[in-house]
Amino acid sequence: MPSRKKPTMFASAFFTCLCSFVMICVALATQSWMHSELRFSQSNSSVTVSLTYGLFSGTCEQFVDAGLHVPEKTFQVADNLGNTNAKRTITAIIVILVLSLLSSLLSSGFTCTNAVSNPYQTFLGPIGVYTWNSLCGIFILITMILFPVNVQGNGLSRELAHGCFSLLQTHIKSSHTYGYSYWIMLLIILLNIASIIIIYFYDHARYSKKKEQERPIENATKDVILF
């Protein structure tokens, strides 16, 4: 069974790893990680700033209670943050996502190699797939933790709002909605888990077959001894 099923199962794992790689690229490229509404008090009115941004760029617009509206404009996240904790955390998130991208790429390579050939090196087999998928999942999980910490703890949205509109005064309140670019992270983790499960079933079936093949030899040895 394992020999017949090996190309199919590793091809299935390759597909999940490839999907994971594509999803990470989408998460890096899109700017729908966060939508924030921030309210600031001015001397005689209130101002609401609406932000939608990702890891590299975003858009912002301003609404004044008096009825004025500042048109939407595009900004670069790094330019609006300066040398702050929020910027350092965003940089760390990008680095971690790039590492997860490399892990996913290596996992795709390993599963593809096993689908078309039978490498002798142990690490190029199931162990390598387990390792790179696990690392990718860990990196993605760290990203999912760091980004909310950056928004809530380091005031990422507030700093970006001040970078867009420098005349803002006292911050009153804010609301945050995580976009699809952030929730894609969950799908990536599930794809990594699926890859590990597929290879585990193949590895377990191969081990069971190996044990079954060893039993007749063990029984024959006992029979010879009794004789």
Side-chain angles (χ1 to χ4, degrees):
M1 173 188 165
S3 58
R4 295 197 303 269
K5 295 291 184 180
K6 179 177 182 290
T8 303
M9 298 190 80
F10 272 97
S12 301
F14 169 71
F15 177 74
T16 57
C17 293
L18 187 63
C19 288
S20 173
F21 177 82
V22 172
M23 291 295 102
I24 297 171
C25 291
V26 170
L28 280 166
T30 54
Q31 61 180 40
S32 295
W33 280 69
M34 174 62 64
H35 177 75
S36 297
E37 298 280 344
L38 300 99
R39 198 163 184 82
F40 297 86
S41 64
Q42 301 284 70
S43 55
N44 55 358
S45 63
S46 295
V47 175
T48 300
V49 176
S50 178
L51 296 168
T52 300
Y53 60 91
L55 301 177
F56 297 100
S57 63
T59 58
C60 58
E61 54 185 335
Q62 181 177 331
F63 303 90
V64 184
D65 287 351
L68 298 175
H69 172 229
V70 177
E72 181 180 275
K73 62 179 182 179
T74 303
F75 64 88
Q76 297 299 313
V77 172
D79 295 340
N80 279 18
L81 292 177
N83 190 20
T84 61
N85 288 332
K87 183 177 182 179
R88 286 190 285 271
T89 307
I90 278 286
T91 304
I93 289 172
I94 293 171
V95 171
I96 291 170
L97 278 179
V98 170
L99 290 175
S100 70
L101 194 68
L102 292 174
S103 299
S104 184
L105 184 62
L106 285 168
S107 183
S108 300
F110 276 37
T111 50
C112 182
T113 301
N114 280 273
V116 299
S117 64
N118 189 24
Y120 292 101
Q121 291 89 345
T122 305
F123 191 72
L124 291 178
I127 294 175
V129 178
Y130 295 149
T131 301
W132 294 118
N133 275 281
S134 298
L135 282 174
C136 183
I138 291 169
F139 288 143
I140 295 299
L141 185 61
I142 293 172
T143 299
M144 292 194 72
I145 295 171
L146 282 180
F147 189 75
V149 167
N150 205 21
V151 173
Q152 303 289 345
N154 295 331
L156 176 61
S157 295
R158 189 165 63 250
E159 286 196 33
L160 291 174
H162 281 288
C164 283
F165 307 104
S166 57
L167 298 179
L168 296 173
Q169 296 180 5
T170 307
H171 174 251
I172 301 174
K173 64 177 181 178
S174 58
S175 62
H176 308 289
T177 304
Y178 293 89
Y180 70 87
S181 299
Y182 176 79
W183 295 116
I184 279 176
M185 300 290 107
L186 283 177
L187 178 58
I188 296 170
I189 291 175
L190 291 176
L191 286 170
N192 280 281
I193 292 173
S195 300
I196 291 173
I197 290 174
I198 291 170
I199 301 306
Y200 171 79
F201 278 130
Y202 162 74
D203 208 22
H204 181 71
R206 184 184 63 174
Y207 178 78
S208 299
K209 185 177 181 180
K210 184 179 178 182
K211 284 296 182 182
E212 288 176 2
Q213 290 173 343
E214 289 175 353
R215 281 174 193 156
I217 298 173
E218 293 174 357
N219 293 335
T221 304
K222 291 177 182 177
D223 292 339
V224 170
I225 293 173
L226 289 172
F227 178 76

